[in-house]
């Protein structure tokens, strides 16, 4: 399939598109009736479980009390009956290994009854524990090849759900995944541990302010998911998109995003139909998707749910990515979650909105109308500032991947320097605290637009900053550096643990200063805040994070600028990180070292795959196209010469020069790939980063020039303008 046939097929698919099934009629089926219908949620449990079992389970879910194993059989039986009524024949323990993907092994409810028939079976033991082969998942040295036993453990706090398939349904049970010796082999186990640490330390601080709560203080997350959609006909003609998830070649189109007409633009009809069906499927799974819109780049879009508890938000984001990919296929499209599928235009991120609190105490990052008088808020906010300053390198490491390196530091995503944006109002408050005299803060005002028919608009006291990697946005912080294909679990684990450590510090200082005397609290808070801001205000930056001047200023402030994954990943196993995670029993030293090793290996494998793929595409697709066109031009010159006509060789000369140059750098890349890459994983990562990637960029440079010269009917790879604008 050449580029022209792919284009024609894509256009035909768009113009001839017909939905394969009747759309959901919301006038007959309310969205509220659909929402959560495939979730074993509170209403289902209240109906199907005995009262004592329901109350016991709710204590575990709401108050964090230990799970009573005796209720498991009753819950399992009710869950099985509910699932079978919905057409399920199998169940699976869903977990999130260190591959970054979702894993599941399906087991049937049906077992032979010994009489030629079968019965449905699902015990409490089956619910609580599964046993996948742990040797087949990355362990980073925690396990050896022959040590195969691993366990999944039921996560009561994330509800079971039903996934639909054209040929039936199956029951999904969210679980943690650990080795036989108890080490965490997944992303959920450390997250649950970090939530326990955060709860303990946050309650210590709240107690000092006279606030008691039965509910755990937890983190809340709102995950904004960006993605691209292209017609599948194009994807099938692009081996790089199929294998690597990004285009390794591609000339810049005549039009990209420079007109700034994509953001919030009218959504194309087929894309909107896809969005609506994806949302319907997510509603059934209880995922509270709220927002959809065009993003900055052509064919780029965003979906965002409302705030949820962090563990549930993490699970739901994995579901969102799964559903987006699945539903896109039904509409003849491919959903691209890679951070940079197309060079030269915006990549895709995943903004992580972060706060802490619970239903009883509310959001602890809410400043209220007078933040300068809200001591409790100031303590929690200062704790975050201190945490990010002390552990910024760790936070950067949680978003370090080969694919995310294409975004971070560019003029489209936050820089690799981790800083905190507070806005002018809060910055002023903390500067006043630093000086020892707080006089006030800016209040909300009203904007008169100047049109009588338009209402007055309330104005927030502070602006926002899209160039900051970690920005305060009114009542929460937004971590903008997470990559679109990544799980948010790693960043949440780091944030929860480092904030817990800062809250531990704040509580210890205040407890010592007050000695249990509440009358001394205000003075103690003032002294502590002054100390924290004096020591940590270098991490606060409200300016342009993309500017070169900021890089220079950050260096003077001592803030790390970890531009690449090989630079960033060592922070995971640094002494500071080991002490931090061990202190709060979130991750052991061995678990941290294993993660650094796994992520380093994944980085190397990613670039190795891309380089090998680039070599194959160059040799089998691009070189032949160039030679064919070279022959056509040469033959045209020969024909003109034969009949005595003048002819020019400018195009032929340009083509030949670029083809020779590309062949030269291609075989140089091949030699590098066949040579010595280093003695250990870190050395290999540096080699891939500093040697292979630059060599790949050289190959691409000449290929992209060839694409602008070679006749369109000979160029087999669908172009950027086709993939991005035909939909």
């Amino acid at each position: 399939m050449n580029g022209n046939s792919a284009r024609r097929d894509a256009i035909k698919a768009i113009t001839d598109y017909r939905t394969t099934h009747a759309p959901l009629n919301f006038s007959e089926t309310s969205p509220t009736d659909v929402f959560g219908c495939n979730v074993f949620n509170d209403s289902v449990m209240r109906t199907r479980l005995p009262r004592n079992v329901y109350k016991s389970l709710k204590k575990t879910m709401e108050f964090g009390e230990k799970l009573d194993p005796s209720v498991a059989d009753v819950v399992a039986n009710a869950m099985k009956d509910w699932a079978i009524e919905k057409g399920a024949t199998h169940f699976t323990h869903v977990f999130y290994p260190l591959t970054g993907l979702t894993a599941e092994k399906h087991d049937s409810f049906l077992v032979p009854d010994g009489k030629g028939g079968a019965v449905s079976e699902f015990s409490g033991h089956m619910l609580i524990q599964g046993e996948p082969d742990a040797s087949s998942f990355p362990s980073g040295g925690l396990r050896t090849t022959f040590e195969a036993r691993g366990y999944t453990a039921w996560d009561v706090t994330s509800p079971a759900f039903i996934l639909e398939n054209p040929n039936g349904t199956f029951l999904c049970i969210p679980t943690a995944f650990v080795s036989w010796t108890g080490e965490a082999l997944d992303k959920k186990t450390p997250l649950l541990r970090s939530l326990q640490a955060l709860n303990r330390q946050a309650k210590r601080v709240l107690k000092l302010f006279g606030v008691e709560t039965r509910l755990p203080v937890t983190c809340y997350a709102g995950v904004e998911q960006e993605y691209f959609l292209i017609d599948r006909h194009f994807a099938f003609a692009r081996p790089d998109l199929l294998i690597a998830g990004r285009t390794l070649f591609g000339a810049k189109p005549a039009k990209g995003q420079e007109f700034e007409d994509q953001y919030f633009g009218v959504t194309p009809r087929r894309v909107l139909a896809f969005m609506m069906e994806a949302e319907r499927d997510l509603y059934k799974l209880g995922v509270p998707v709220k927002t959809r819109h065009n993003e900055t780049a052509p064919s780029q879009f965003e979906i965002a749910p409302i705030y949820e508890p962090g563990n549930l938000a993490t699970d739901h984001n994995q579901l969102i990515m799964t559903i987006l990919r699945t539903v896109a296929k039904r509409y003849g499209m491919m959903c691209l979650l890679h951070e940079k599928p197309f060079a030269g235009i915006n990549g895709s991120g995943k903004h992580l909105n972060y706060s802490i609190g619970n239903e009883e105490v509310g959001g602890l990052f809410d400043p209220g109308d007078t933040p300068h008088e809200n001591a409790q808020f100031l303590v929690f906010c200062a704790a975050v500032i201190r945490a990010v300053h002390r552990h910024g390198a760790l936070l950067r490491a949680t978003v370090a991947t080969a694919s995310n390196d294409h975004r971070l530091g560019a003029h489209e995503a936050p820089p690799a320097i981790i800083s905190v944006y507070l806005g002018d109002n809060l910055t002023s408050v903390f500067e006043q605290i630093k000086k020892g005299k707080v006089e006030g803060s800016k209040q909300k005002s009203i904007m008169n637009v100047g049109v009588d028919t338009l209402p007055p608009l309330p104005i927030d006291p502070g602006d926002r900053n899209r160039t900051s990697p970690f920005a305060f946005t009114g009542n929460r912080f937004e971590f903008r550096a997470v990559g679109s294909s990544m799980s948010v679990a790693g960043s949440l684990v780091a944030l929860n643990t480092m904030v817990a450590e800062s809250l531990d510090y704040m509580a210890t200082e205040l407890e010592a200063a007050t000695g249990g005397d509440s009358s001394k609290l205000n003075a103690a808070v003032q002294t502590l805040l002054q100390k924290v801001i004096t020591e940590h205000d270098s991490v606060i930056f409200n300016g342009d994070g993309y500017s070169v001047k900021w890089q220079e200023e950050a260096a003077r402030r001592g803030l790390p600028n970890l531009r690449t994954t090989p630079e960033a990943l060592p922070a995971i196993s640094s002494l500071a990180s080991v002490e931090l995670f061990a202190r709060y029993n979130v991750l052991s030293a061995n678990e941290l070292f294993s993660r650094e090793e796994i992520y380093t290996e994944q980085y190397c494998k990613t670039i190795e795959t891309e380089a090998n793929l680039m070599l194959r595409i160059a040799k089998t697709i691009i070189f032949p196209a160039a030679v064919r066109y070279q022959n056509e031009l040469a033959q045209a010159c020969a024909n003109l010469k034969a009949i005595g006509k003048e002819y020019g060789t400018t195009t032929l000369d340009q083509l030949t020069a670029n083809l020779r140059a590309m062949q030269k750098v291609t075989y140089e890349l091949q030699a590098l790939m066949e040579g010595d890459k280093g003695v250990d994983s870190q050395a290999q990562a540096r080699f891939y980063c500093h040697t292979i990637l630059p060599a790949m960029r050289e190959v691409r440079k000449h290929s992209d020039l060839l694409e602008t010269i070679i006749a369109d009917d000979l160029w087999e790879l669908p172009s950027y303008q086709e993939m991005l604008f035909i939909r």
Side-chain angles (χ1 to χ4, degrees):
M1 179 186 292
N2 61 38
N4 280 328
S5 63
R7 180 176 62 221
R8 287 194 299 270
D9 288 344
I11 294 172
K12 189 175 188 303
I14 294 170
T15 56
D16 294 348
Y17 166 74
R18 298 290 185 275
T19 184
T20 57
H21 52 276
L24 185 65
N25 189 338
F26 282 101
S27 65
E28 296 178 359
T29 306
S30 168
T32 55
D33 295 334
V34 173
F35 191 84
C37 67
N38 283 346
V39 182
F40 194 74
N41 53 26
D42 183 76
S43 62
V44 176
M45 290 190 294
R46 191 185 297 111
T47 302
R48 292 178 174 266
L49 296 178
R51 184 175 177 83
N52 62 319
V53 173
Y54 171 75
K55 291 177 69 175
S56 175
L57 201 60
K58 287 290 288 183
K59 286 180 180 178
T60 301
M61 296 170 65
E62 290 187 358
F63 302 108
E65 297 186 7
K66 289 187 177 182
L67 176 67
D68 181 0
S70 66
V71 308
D73 281 327
V74 179
V75 175
N77 190 62
M79 196 179 288
K80 177 201 69 177
D81 291 345
W82 171 78
I84 290 175
E85 289 173 15
K86 289 186 167 291
T89 58
H90 288 66
F91 68 92
T92 179
H93 293 100
V94 178
F95 56 101
Y96 310 105
L98 296 174
T99 58
L101 303 174
T102 300
E104 51 191 51
K105 177 174 73 75
H106 294 213
D107 291 295
S108 176
F109 286 124
L110 299 180
V111 294
D113 63 359
K115 302 176 182 179
V119 295
S120 60
E121 182 181 272
F122 187 56
S123 66
H125 176 74
M126 294 174 176
L127 169 62
I128 288 177
Q129 182 176 315
E131 190 176 335
D133 184 353
S135 68
S136 300
F137 294 97
S139 71
L142 286 175
R143 309 284 286 156
T144 54
T145 304
F146 63 86
E147 294 174 318
R149 193 180 296 276
Y151 298 125
T152 55
W154 177 33
D155 176 15
V156 183
T157 63
S158 187
F161 55 92
I162 293 286
L163 274 184
E164 297 176 345
N165 182 276
N167 290 326
T169 67
F170 56 97
L171 174 66
C172 299
I173 305 162
T175 61
F177 178 44
V178 297
S179 73
W180 178 68
T181 50
E183 295 101 341
L185 298 176
D186 67 337
K187 294 180 177 293
K188 180 181 282 286
T189 303
L191 177 56
L192 296 175
R193 294 172 181 169
S194 74
L195 290 171
Q196 291 184 161
L198 179 67
N199 174 50
R200 286 192 294 268
Q201 304 309 324
K203 283 188 172 180
R204 286 179 63 198
V205 175
L206 289 173
K207 186 177 180 180
L208 287 162
F209 287 94
V211 178
E212 299 282 350
T213 175
R214 287 188 62 204
L215 297 174
V217 177
T218 190
C219 79
Y220 288 83
V223 186
E224 305 170 28
Q225 178 71 56
E226 295 175 350
Y227 61 96
F228 280 84
L229 286 173
I230 65 169
D231 191 274
R232 296 186 79 198
H233 294 83
F234 293 144
F236 293 148
R238 295 283 316 214
D240 45 2
L241 278 178
L242 284 177
I243 304 300
R246 75 178 181 103
T247 53
L248 301 175
F249 302 98
K252 182 180 179 181
K255 177 189 175 186
Q257 62 189 58
E258 61 274 3
F259 284 85
E260 300 178 328
D261 57 348
Q262 305 293 328
Y263 197 52
F264 282 22
V266 177
T267 305
R269 183 172 177 270
R270 179 164 61 145
V271 173
L272 185 58
F274 148 80
M275 287 178 169
M276 289 178 169
E277 181 157 344
E279 288 168 358
R280 180 182 68 179
D281 286 1
L282 290 167
Y283 286 159
K284 291 180 179 180
L285 296 168
V287 182
V289 287
K290 180 73 171 178
T291 302
R292 62 180 184 225
H293 62 83
N294 283 13
E295 257 296 336
T296 305
S299 291
Q300 186 186 34
F301 309 94
E302 179 178 296
I303 182 173
I306 62 174
Y307 247 38
E308 296 183 282
N311 180 41
L312 188 59
T314 301
D315 288 359
H316 280 172
N317 184 250
Q318 294 291 129
L319 274 175
I320 286 173
M321 291 191 287
T322 298
I323 295 299
L324 289 177
R325 290 191 184 102
T326 302
V327 177
K329 294 178 182 178
R330 301 176 199 166
Y331 289 84
M333 295 183 290
M334 177 175 286
C335 176
L336 304 177
L337 294 173
H338 193 284
E339 283 74 10
K340 195 74 170 181
F342 303 101
I345 64 173
N346 265 29
S348 296
K350 184 179 299 185
H351 297 179
L352 173 60
N353 295 276
Y354 177 82
S355 69
I356 60 177
N358 63 34
E359 292 182 1
E360 291 180 345
V361 302
L364 298 175
F365 296 153
D366 187 352
D369 295 330
T370 54
H372 63 286
E373 298 175 342
N374 192 338
Q376 180 179 292
F377 159 75
L378 292 172
V379 167
F380 277 93
C381 187
V384 174
I385 295 168
R386 179 182 179 274
V388 175
H389 187 221
R390 285 173 56 84
H391 302 287
L394 171 64
L395 193 58
R396 165 68 178 95
T398 67
V399 296
T401 65
S403 54
N404 211 21
D405 277 3
H406 295 292
R407 297 175 54 250
L408 296 184
H411 286 207
E412 63 179 78
I417 304 167
I418 302 299
S419 61
V420 177
Y421 169 82
L422 291 180
D424 293 340
N425 190 33
L426 273 184
T427 300
S428 173
V429 171
F430 279 111
E431 286 177 349
Q432 293 175 58
I433 291 172
K434 183 179 178 180
K435 294 175 182 178
K437 186 178 180 181
V438 181
E439 296 179 346
S441 57
K442 186 179 178 182
Q443 304 301 303
K444 287 187 177 182
S445 57
I446 300 296
M447 176 189 296
N448 190 333
V449 185
V451 179
D452 292 342
T453 56
L454 296 179
L457 302 177
I459 308 173
D460 288 300
D463 202 353
R464 294 191 176 184
N465 187 332
R466 66 179 301 273
T467 71
S468 174
F470 198 83
F472 186 75
T473 58
N475 58 4
R476 60 187 180 272
F477 289 91
E478 183 180 30
F479 185 38
R480 302 181 68 250
V482 185
S484 54
S485 67
M486 301 178 67
S487 166
V488 297
S491 296
L492 282 176
V493 169
L495 280 169
N496 289 339
T497 311
M498 61 201 230
V499 170
E501 187 273 334
S502 271
L503 292 174
D504 184 355
Y505 168 79
M506 306 291 269
T508 301
E509 290 288 306
L510 292 174
E511 288 165 354
T514 60
D517 186 351
S518 60
S519 66
K520 298 179 180 179
L521 181 62
N522 287 339
V525 167
Q526 173 66 32
T527 301
L528 176 61
L529 290 176
Q530 191 172 18
K531 178 183 179 184
V532 169
I533 295 303
T534 300
E535 293 177 355
H536 302 286
D537 65 348
S538 59
V539 79
I540 300 171
F541 179 66
N542 293 339
D544 183 3
Y546 296 160
S547 69
V548 176
K549 288 184 178 180
W550 166 234
Q551 296 183 35
E552 298 168 353
E553 172 64 21
R556 286 192 292 270
R557 296 187 186 190
L559 301 180
N561 185 4
L562 307 174
R563 294 179 175 86
T564 67
T565 293
E567 292 176 89
L569 286 181
I572 294 176
S573 63
S574 68
L575 180 61
S577 294
V578 170
E579 290 177 347
L580 171 71
F581 287 112
R583 181 176 180 180
Y584 299 99
N585 299 312
V586 174
L587 288 163
S588 68
N590 286 339
E591 289 171 326
L592 288 169
F593 285 119
S594 72
R595 279 153 176 75
E596 183 188 349
E597 182 65 27
I598 290 168
Y599 300 149
T600 303
E601 184 180 3
Q602 289 173 346
Y603 177 85
C604 295
K605 287 180 176 178
T606 297
I607 298 176
E608 181 179 32
T609 298
E610 291 181 350
N612 288 331
L613 186 58
M614 173 172 272
L615 291 171
R616 178 167 294 189
I617 294 173
K619 293 177 182 180
T620 63
I621 297 177
I622 297 174
F623 288 175
V627 170
R628 291 188 190 108
Y629 192 47
Q630 188 181 47
N631 289 335
E632 285 189 8
L633 292 175
Q635 187 62 52
C637 291
N639 292 341
L640 289 170
K641 183 179 181 180
I643 62 175
K645 298 292 184 180
E646 293 185 2
Y647 60 92
T649 62
T650 302
T651 302
L652 177 59
D653 293 341
Q654 188 181 11
L655 171 69
T656 301
N658 273 293
L659 176 58
R660 288 174 177 172
M662 184 178 174
Q663 289 174 324
K664 178 179 179 294
V665 295
T666 297
Y667 287 105
E668 288 174 353
L669 172 62
Q670 180 174 321
L672 289 170
M673 290 295 295
E674 293 172 350
D676 181 29
K677 300 179 181 66
V679 295
D680 56 37
S681 59
Q682 290 186 350
Q684 292 169 12
R686 291 191 294 270
F687 175 80
Y688 279 111
C689 180
H690 301 300
T691 303
I692 297 299
L693 284 178
M696 291 174 64
R697 286 193 286 270
E698 281 296 305
V699 174
R700 175 167 189 160
K701 180 179 72 175
H702 293 290
S703 171
D704 292 355
L705 285 171
L706 287 173
E707 185 180 349
T708 65
I709 301 171
I710 295 173
D712 185 68
D713 63 325
L714 296 177
W715 190 261
E716 295 188 9
L717 298 173
S719 68
Y720 272 28
Q721 68 182 29
E722 292 164 351
M723 292 186 287
L724 294 172
F725 291 100
I726 300 176
R727 47 185 183 243

